[in-house]
Amino acid sequence: MKIAIIYYSEHHGNTKKVLDAIKDMADVTLFDVKKIKEKDLIKYDVIGFASGIYHTKYHKDILEFAEDYLPHSQNVFLIYTYGVKANYTKEMKKIFKDKSCKLLGSFGCRGFDTYGPLKYIGGIAKKHPNDKDLNKAREYFRKIIQ
Ligand SMILES: Cc1cc2nc3c(=O)[nH]c(=O)nc-3n(C[C@H](O)[C@H](O)[C@H](O)COP(=O)(O)O)c2cc1C
C-alpha cells in the first residue's frame, strides 16, 4: 500500500516530528507542500494531510493543494498539531466531502506554540509533541494502515 502525506510544518517542526515517528511504519512518501512537484496523486492508495494549525485552520497551502489536486474518491486521513485543543478540521472535511473522499481517521496533538504574545511567557505546550503523543500517533497510524 502506497501512502503519500502532504504536510506543512513551519512553526517549530512539530507536525514533522509526528510524521517522522510514523513514516517507517509503511510505504510512506512525505511531501512538503511548499516544495511539492508531484501533482498526480492517483498512484497512491491513501493520502494524508498534515499541518500545524494556523489561525484555527490547516495552513492555507494545504487547503489549496487539497482543493486543486486531491483526486476524487480517495482514501484520506488527517494529522495536525495545535497549541490549544479545539476542532480544527472543518475545512479539510468539507473538501473531502465535496470530493467524495473516504476519511479513514483524524489525529491531533499539542505542539510547542510561541505564536505572538505567547513568546513572552516562553510559549505553551512546551516539549510537545512528547513521547506519549508520538506513541499515540503510531497507534493511530497502525489502524490507518491495517
Ligand atoms: C501564525 C500562527 C497561528 C497559530 N494559530 C493557532 C490556532 O489558531 N490555534 C492553535 O491551537 N494553535 C495555533 N498556533 C500554534 C501551532 O498550531 C502549533 O504550534 C503547531 O504545533 C505548529 O506546528 P508546526 O511546528 O508543525 O508548524 C499558531 C501558530 C502560528 C505560528
Side-chain angles (χ1 to χ4, degrees):
M1 179 167 50
K2 282 173 81 67
I3 301 175
I5 304 180
I6 323 297
Y7 73 93
Y8 184 96
S9 180
E10 279 294 300
H11 187 39
H12 287 288
N14 297 324
T15 312
K16 180 68 166 42
K17 271 180 212 153
V18 175
L19 300 182
D20 286 340
I22 63 163
K23 68 179 181 204
D24 294 331
M25 293 170 65
D27 181 3
V28 174
T29 309
L30 298 181
F31 293 103
D32 181 339
V33 75
K34 293 191 285 34
K35 300 181 195 151
I36 189 165
K37 294 206 171 59
E38 175 85 89
K39 301 284 157 75
D40 183 10
L41 297 176
I42 206 83
K43 66 179 177 217
Y44 295 95
D45 303 298
V46 182
I47 300 172
F49 290 93
S51 176
I53 296 304
Y54 292 84
H55 306 295
T56 75
K57 297 180 173 95
Y58 261 56
H59 191 271
K60 71 171 178 37
D61 289 0
I62 294 280
L63 292 166
E64 284 172 15
F65 185 90
E67 282 275 11
D68 292 345
Y69 301 111
L70 173 63
H72 276 252
S73 308
Q74 269 281 1
N75 290 321
V76 291
F77 66 94
L78 293 172
I79 291 175
Y80 56 101
T81 66
Y82 50 79
V84 178
K85 189 169 184 164
N87 178 12
Y88 296 119
T89 56
K90 195 169 75 213
E91 294 77 13
M92 290 302 293
K93 283 180 178 165
K94 180 169 184 324
I95 295 170
F96 297 158
K97 188 163 180 267
D98 291 348
K99 296 193 178 221
S100 306
C101 288
K102 184 178 176 199
L103 181 59
L104 302 180
S106 177
F107 173 84
C109 70
R110 297 189 84 192
F112 183 42
D113 179 6
T114 55
Y115 176 54
L118 291 177
K119 66 174 167 289
Y120 300 115
I121 58 160
I124 58 169
K126 289 175 203 170
K127 304 203 173 124
H128 287 273
N130 59 21
D131 286 348
K132 200 169 160 196
D133 299 321
L134 299 180
N135 279 333
K136 280 191 186 160
R138 288 186 193 101
E139 214 174 286
Y140 160 76
F141 192 57
R142 201 166 291 125
K143 287 186 190 137
I144 296 285
I145 58 183
Q146 260 166 14

